[in-house]
Amino acid sequence: MTPPNITPPPLRNDCFALPAGVNWTSVDDALALLRSRLTVVTSVETALIGQAVGRILAEDVFAKRSNPPQPNTAVDGYGFSGAAPEGPQVMPLQDGRAAAGIPFDGAVPHGKALRVLTGAALPTGVDTVILEEDVTVQDGHIAFHGPLKQGANTRKAGEDVAEGDLVLPTGRRLTPADMALLSATGISEVAVRKTLRVAVLSTGDELVEPGNSAGPGQIFDANRPMLLSMIARLGYEPVDMGRVSDDREDLRDRLDKASEQADVILTSGGASAGDEDHVSALLREAGAMQEWRIALKPGRPLALGMWNETPVFGLPGNPVAAKVCTLIFARPALGLMAGEGWSEPQAFNLPAGFEKRKKPGRREYLRARVRDGRVEVFASEGSGRISGLSWAEGLVEIQDGACHIRPGDLVRFIPYGSFGL
Ligand code: AMP
Ligand code: MG
């Protein structure tokens, strides 16, 4: 049989070159669109502060009490009134003492000193304290060397936080330190957002559950365990929707279930425009599909849509691209939906320990880590190289334009920790 007379297409050296007339959306435009279209979806409940760490404040919190609530001594020593001049000082001791929680009952006359212990409220007549180590006590008197400024070694009422001050703002994700601040300022319960529920679903005929046996052509589902644990680390409630094969009806059912059980859905795989790319096909059919050709590497394609009024992030199947898209696009969007507000990750400019030439047009994220003050990047940029995700401790962000990075040039490093992982 003679082979048919088919002409192959010309070779392209840039596999991401776009067909004529197709526009790329820049990362910044895509982020701005997400930011303008999404809003908070979680309702409000009350939490005791013992249960509130990691929760997101639903309203501004104001101090019910000043910290410190009254003037007190910062050290163990002797308290009296006013500044002490230069030179040796001798003062008679007042009977009694003031300790933390056991105030001195009465006033200290001018010219007399009272024994005071750290944290004790300053009694009437005391506004200055001399450190115990600088004092000789003898025959009912204390002696020390001046000068000492008025107010020395004391804390003023409200010098940290005054009653009525804004303590923590709406959208704050409460930290262990916040527990101390809330307690100290008299707050025992707070209004918080219910935890955002994020469904995670893998798609693909080739996927097998880790722990099962994998036949030829099959691979273990690597994205779902990664995405579920990222969701948990980000402080949201992961909802495991399992795997679904490349079957449109199965996928439809699973998306229905996910939209009942979660506030937002992350899928991976099937987001392109190919024959088996049912996520993008269904979202398009639902009529609310934005297939963004985002000028991003690695990260193509990202499909965004609504399923039963639930936002869907159709992430790429490649694990590296799935992770980068989750960090760059889903993370701030989830923050907005959860009530935390939109946030940009803290980046650091550090010297490169590598060389790289880049063409204009796309933003790039490289798997990276810092060693000896320099940024190293993973040897391969291939988006299927899962070992590089694990090797890395963050991403290097390279701007959209052309560039030639040489060793020692400053590059933008974003540690995974800056994303909340
Ligand atoms: P897709 O986006 O469905 O075309 O998938 C792109 C690539 O990612 C293919 O090589 C898939 O086999 C792979 N892939 C898709 N989903 C997963 C997954 N959950 N875990 C690991 N690899 C995946
Ligand atoms: Mg697939």
Side-chain angles (χ1 to χ4, degrees), residues 333-354:
L334 295 178
L336 207 57
M337 285 185 272
E340 208 177 349
W342 188 272
S343 68
E344 270 153 38
Q346 175 71 55
F348 300 89
N349 287 323
L350 292 171
F354 61 94

Side-chain angles (χ1 to χ4, degrees), residues 205-290:
D205 285 338
E206 73 280 33
L207 301 179
V208 184
E209 197 67 9
N212 291 7
S213 61
Q218 294 188 309
I219 59 170
F220 294 113
D221 179 359
N223 287 343
R224 208 167 94 250
M226 172 176 72
L227 294 171
L228 286 167
S229 55
M230 284 171 79
I231 294 308
R233 280 275 182 102
L234 292 172
Y236 307 121
E237 185 186 324
V239 181
D240 187 355
M241 296 308 299
R243 282 174 297 108
V244 65
S245 57
D246 288 317
D247 178 282
R248 203 160 294 192
E249 292 321 305
D250 286 351
L251 181 59
R252 195 193 298 277
D253 282 353
R254 206 68 69 90
L255 287 173
D256 282 345
K257 289 206 179 74
S259 66
E260 283 163 21
Q261 294 174 31
D263 303 305
V264 51
I265 303 169
L266 305 185
T267 66
S268 70
S272 235
D275 295 345
E276 296 297 338
D277 290 319
H278 301 297
V279 173
S280 47
L282 280 178
L283 291 178
R284 200 175 301 113
E285 194 184 290
M289 164 72 186
Q290 280 275 352

Side-chain angles (χ1 to χ4, degrees), residues 4 30 72 76 93 134 151 157 202 227 238 259 310 324 373 392 408 417:
N72 68 95
D76 288 346
L93 265 177
D134 295 338
S202 289
L227 294 171
S259 66
T310 305
V324 168

Side-chain angles (χ1 to χ4, degrees), residues 34 265-267 269-273 277-284 288-294 299-306 311-316 325 329:
L34 275 178
I265 303 169
L266 305 185
T267 66
S272 235
D277 290 319
H278 301 297
V279 173
S280 47
L282 280 178
L283 291 178
R284 200 175 301 113
M289 164 72 186
Q290 280 275 352
E291 195 204 331
W292 281 352
R293 302 180 64 93
I294 298 173
R300 212 178 52 127
L302 179 65
L304 296 167
M306 298 295 279
V312 181
F313 284 80
L315 300 165
C325 280
F329 297 105

